């Protein structure tokens, strides 16, 4: 192999042509800055149509900011968020949720293949007391698609949100790869938002450049979110460029087209390594058990990927992006099939 084939992360993918064109279209001066421009004013209606319910949508620059700001609106400082042990808000956000919420705790719950269940939540949280001496469980955070590359069905999400509602918890959905989940299931986005109070709608991993959408369904929190966003430095004066990116992704289903391409590549890799998969492949991530020496052999051929799990375990994560060349996917599939 004479090229470097990057399967490390979809964060490194190129912005798609529609996003770049939207940035150029937004370049001329506007009649207002911040959220007063023509593009920013379109976001609420765009996501209201997408999810079939009234909402407020604000762009932010990172998924970490989207998650942390959403949780700050949903959870008091003395509160706690139930989430999976491998949730991004716990593993990969450097304490941002705790910082933005002014100290709320994350309560970690295990679940097979990255998924939470009502029964699993009850087991994990059985010893927790909601008395004045402990933090008060206030919210549930679900990741869709999960950190293990699996996808919750609408029925599974509905069961979790109903369980949360019965306990008086609000619900946050980390949708960094929401597009991949919708593309996999072929369902309406609204089916995965039942009972959800806020969604971090990912664009950057899926062909965006520098904008994610924070979608809030509980409009009683709208003013609080606006203030928190400004205070967090997530309200750029030329916000039209962020809004334009999001509109370009959502309109004409560019977000789904890109996600389908990434998912298809992951399925090709899954087929080649079917007997060595660590989790079902339902989005654009493939977790595979490699043989002794195989990671070095693959890297020597030009493939880039992250080792996963415990050091020396041979577990690897392969991520297919929306723009991963088909030739790279085919070459890695052949290499995996040959062991």
């Amino acid at each position: 192999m004479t090229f470097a084939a990057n399967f490390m992360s979809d964060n490194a993918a190129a912005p798609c042509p529609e996003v770049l064109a939207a940035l150029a279209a937004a370049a001329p001066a506007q009649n207002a800055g911040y959220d007063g421009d023509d593009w920013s004013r379109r976001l609420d209606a765009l996501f209201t149509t997408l999810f079939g319910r009234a909402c407020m949508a604000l762009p932010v620059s990172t998924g970490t900011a989207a998650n942390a700001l959403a949780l700050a609106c949903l959870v008091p400082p003395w509160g706690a968020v139930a989430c999976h042990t491998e949730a991004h808000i716990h593993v990969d956000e450097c304490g941002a949720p705790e910082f933005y919420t002014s100290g709320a705790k994350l309560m970690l719950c295990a679940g097979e293949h990255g998924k939470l269940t009502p029964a699993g939540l009850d087991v994990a949280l059985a010893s927790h007391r909601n008395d004045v001496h402990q933090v008060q469980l206030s919210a549930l955070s679900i990741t869709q698609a999960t950190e293990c590359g699996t996808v919750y069905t609408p029925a599974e999400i509905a069961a979790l949100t109903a369980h949360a509602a019965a306990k008086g918890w609000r619900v946050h959905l980390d949708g960094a790869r929401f597009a991949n989940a919708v593309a996999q299931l072929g369902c309406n986005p609204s089916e995965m938002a039942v009972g959800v109070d806020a969604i971090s709608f990912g664009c950057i991993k899926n062909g965006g450049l520098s904008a994610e959408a924070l979608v809030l369904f509980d409009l009683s929190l709208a003013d609080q979110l606006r203030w928190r966003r400004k205070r967090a430095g997530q309200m750029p004066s030329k916000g039209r460029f962020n809004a334009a990116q999001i509109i370009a992704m959502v309109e004409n289903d560019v977000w789904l087209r890109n996600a389908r391409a990434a998912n298809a590549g992951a399925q090709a890799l899954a087929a080649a390594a079917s007997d060595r998969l660590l989790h079902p492949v339902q989005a654009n991530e493939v977790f595979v058990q490699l043989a002794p020496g195989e990671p070095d052999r693959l890297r020597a051929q030009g493939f880039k990927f992250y080792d996963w799990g415990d050091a020396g375990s041979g577990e690897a994560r392969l991520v297919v992006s929306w723009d991963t060349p088909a030739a790279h996917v085919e070459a890695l599939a052949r290499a995996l099939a040959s062991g």
Side-chain angles (χ1 to χ4, degrees):
M1 176 181 273
T2 59
F3 51 76
N6 190 350
F7 291 90
M8 296 184 74
S9 174
D10 40 8
N11 284 307
C16 65
E18 291 83 358
V19 165
L20 295 177
L23 290 171
Q30 265 286 299
N31 55 342
Y34 297 102
D35 295 331
D37 61 85
D38 294 340
W39 281 269
S40 297
R41 288 198 298 265
R42 292 169 56 190
L43 289 177
D44 290 355
L46 180 74
F47 282 96
T48 293
T49 298
L50 184 69
F51 286 105
R53 56 194 281 210
C55 64
M56 180 180 78
L58 295 175
V60 294
S61 60
T62 67
T64 294
N67 287 336
L69 283 169
L71 291 172
C73 289
L74 302 179
V75 183
W78 56 87
V81 181
C83 65
H84 195 276
T85 54
E86 297 187 46
H88 202 272
I89 59 173
H90 168 59
V91 176
D92 287 298
E93 294 186 345
C94 196
E98 293 91 335
F99 177 74
Y100 277 61
T101 59
S102 299
K105 290 178 67 68
L106 302 180
M107 305 292 286
L108 306 182
C109 307
E112 189 176 10
H113 301 307
K115 286 187 176 183
L116 297 170
T117 64
L121 289 170
D122 285 344
V123 170
L125 302 171
S127 63
H128 184 264
R129 308 187 315 271
N130 271 321
D131 61 36
V132 73
H133 301 287
Q134 295 194 329
V135 290
Q136 305 298 296
L137 277 159
S138 306
L140 170 66
S141 182
I142 307 167
T143 307
Q144 177 75 317
T146 74
E147 305 299 338
C148 295
T150 53
V151 168
Y152 289 98
T153 66
E156 289 172 327
I157 288 181
L160 284 167
T161 60
H163 191 70
K167 294 180 176 294
W169 303 343
R170 294 184 181 273
V171 179
H172 160 254
L173 193 149
D174 179 350
R177 295 186 176 92
F178 186 78
N180 302 94
V182 174
Q184 164 70 14
L185 295 172
C187 65
N188 190 294
S190 64
E191 296 178 66
M192 289 197 288
V194 174
V196 174
D197 295 293
I199 292 180
S200 306
F201 186 93
C203 293
I204 294 173
K205 287 179 169 67
N206 192 36
L209 177 63
S210 58
E212 309 275 80
L214 202 176
V215 183
L216 183 69
F217 296 113
D218 184 348
L219 296 181
S220 70
L221 301 173
D223 284 340
Q224 180 187 159
L225 177 56
R226 291 188 185 97
W227 294 324
R228 287 185 179 277
R229 174 175 167 248
K230 173 65 176 180
R231 186 170 182 259
Q234 290 291 323
M235 187 181 179
S237 59
K238 296 179 182 179
R240 66 185 185 275
F241 291 104
N242 285 348
Q245 293 179 57
I246 295 167
I247 292 168
M249 292 289 295
V250 175
E251 284 189 341
N252 302 314
D253 288 341
V254 171
W255 66 299
L256 290 176
R257 179 203 70 193
N258 289 354
R260 291 185 186 112
N263 288 4
Q267 287 300 320
L269 297 182
S274 59
D275 60 339
R276 299 192 287 163
L277 296 176
L278 300 172
H279 305 291
V281 177
Q282 298 173 336
N284 66 319
E285 295 179 287
V286 180
F287 294 84
V288 62
Q289 178 66 58
L290 300 179
E294 191 175 4
D296 290 338
R297 290 196 297 273
L298 290 174
R299 290 188 171 106
Q301 295 175 62
F303 299 111
K304 296 182 178 181
F305 54 89
Y306 280 119
D307 296 320
W308 217 249
D310 297 330
S313 67
E315 296 178 3
R317 187 190 75 165
L318 313 170
V319 184
V320 181
S321 302
W322 76 273
D323 62 342
T324 301
H328 292 193
V329 173
E330 291 164 4
L332 181 53
R334 287 194 299 271
L336 290 172
S338 66

